[in-house]
Amino acid sequence: MGMQGASHIVWDWNGTLFHDNDAIIGATNAAFAELGLEPITMEQYRSLYCVPVPKFYERLIGRLPNDAEWLVMDETFHRYYAEHRVRCALTEGAERLLVEWVAGGRSQSILSMYGHEELVPLVRGFGIEAHFVRVDGRTGPSGGSKAEHMVRHLAALAGVDPSRTVVIGDAADDAVAALHVGAKAVLYTGGSHGRASLEGAGVPVVDSLVEAVALAQEIAA
């Protein structure tokens, strides 16, 4: 349940609260290796990444993967990521920001495109689940946009006003999802996108979660 009339943050997980860049780039390159493709750097990833994910692969290899290739790459990505995420941590200062946001009488939740069955125990394992009124991961096949998931997520949050809700994420798709439900967005440069690719989304772009939360407090007041 939300807090009636209070400002609300919908947090993205991967690349935002969870600093998993190393696992992400490693998993991407493992997927590429399945097709005999050369590995890419984090800089290349951050400049080209987009959703739906098959379009990202198209940017890199010059064509969309066929159905069989996509299944192999997607399975390889998730297998590698699951093995290597254990070395990743929360983004520096994230837990303090979560505590302070709730202490101010506001509410927050997580909506991620990471699989729900994997996401919930991961959040729980960091001891932060109690800071959120809801934690939702992706249900159904991977590779799509967050917009329709955002509709269902906010609909499940009684008392949360979309006009007083700010989505904080690291991808342009987070801004698209926010706009889709009438919420606002702040994008963070520490994850999957570099500043140049985020600025095209037409929403504020910041370099730290501290800045993101401060801005969220201001624009959702």
Side-chain angles (χ1 to χ4, degrees):
M1 301 288 285
M3 299 178 184
Q4 191 72 38
S7 302
H8 184 82
I9 290 175
V10 178
W11 289 97
D12 175 54
W13 178 249
N14 303 93
T16 304
L17 287 175
F18 188 43
H19 188 66
D20 60 350
N21 289 0
D22 288 345
I24 289 286
I25 191 64
T28 299
N29 283 330
F32 284 0
E34 290 292 328
L35 297 191
L37 301 172
E38 292 296 316
I40 63 169
T41 65
M42 193 69 210
E43 183 179 357
Q44 289 173 302
Y45 181 94
R46 283 162 52 80
S47 66
L48 294 172
Y49 181 76
C50 65
V51 294
V53 176
K55 292 292 290 182
F56 167 55
Y57 290 153
E58 182 182 30
R59 289 183 174 187
L60 289 161
I61 67 178
R63 62 175 177 82
L64 283 169
N66 62 40
D67 289 346
E69 289 171 334
W70 165 249
L71 288 174
V72 169
M73 295 175 80
D74 190 50
E75 191 278 331
T76 300
F77 177 95
H78 285 98
R79 184 179 68 248
Y80 182 101
Y81 179 84
E83 293 170 358
H84 290 80
R85 73 184 187 195
V86 296
R87 296 200 297 268
C88 300
L90 294 177
T91 300
E92 185 177 357
E95 185 167 7
R96 177 178 56 81
L97 291 170
L98 298 176
V99 171
E100 291 175 352
W101 183 260
V102 173
R106 300 168 289 255
S107 61
Q108 58 198 339
S109 58
I110 292 176
L111 176 62
S112 172
M113 294 299 282
Y114 191 44
H116 184 75
E117 297 303 318
E118 293 78 26
L119 173 67
V120 172
L122 187 55
V123 173
R124 188 171 295 147
F126 281 110
I128 58 173
E129 186 181 22
H131 302 318
F132 305 103
V133 295
R134 189 174 182 89
V135 176
D136 282 336
R138 187 198 75 251
T139 56
S142 61
S145 172
K146 186 178 274 188
E148 291 306 319
H149 294 270
M150 187 68 74
V151 172
R152 293 190 291 272
H153 182 73
L154 286 191
L157 296 175
V160 170
D161 180 355
S163 70
R164 298 196 64 195
T165 296
V166 179
V167 177
I168 298 179
D170 68 320
D173 190 50
D174 291 301
V176 172
L179 179 64
H180 189 67
V181 296
K184 301 173 179 68
V186 177
L187 299 181
Y188 163 62
T189 63
S192 63
H193 283 51
R195 174 174 283 275
S197 60
L198 292 176
E199 286 179 338
V203 302
V205 178
V206 298
D207 296 320
S208 72
L209 294 187
V210 171
E211 294 173 272
V213 170
L215 197 50
Q217 184 171 351
E218 179 182 328
I219 64 180

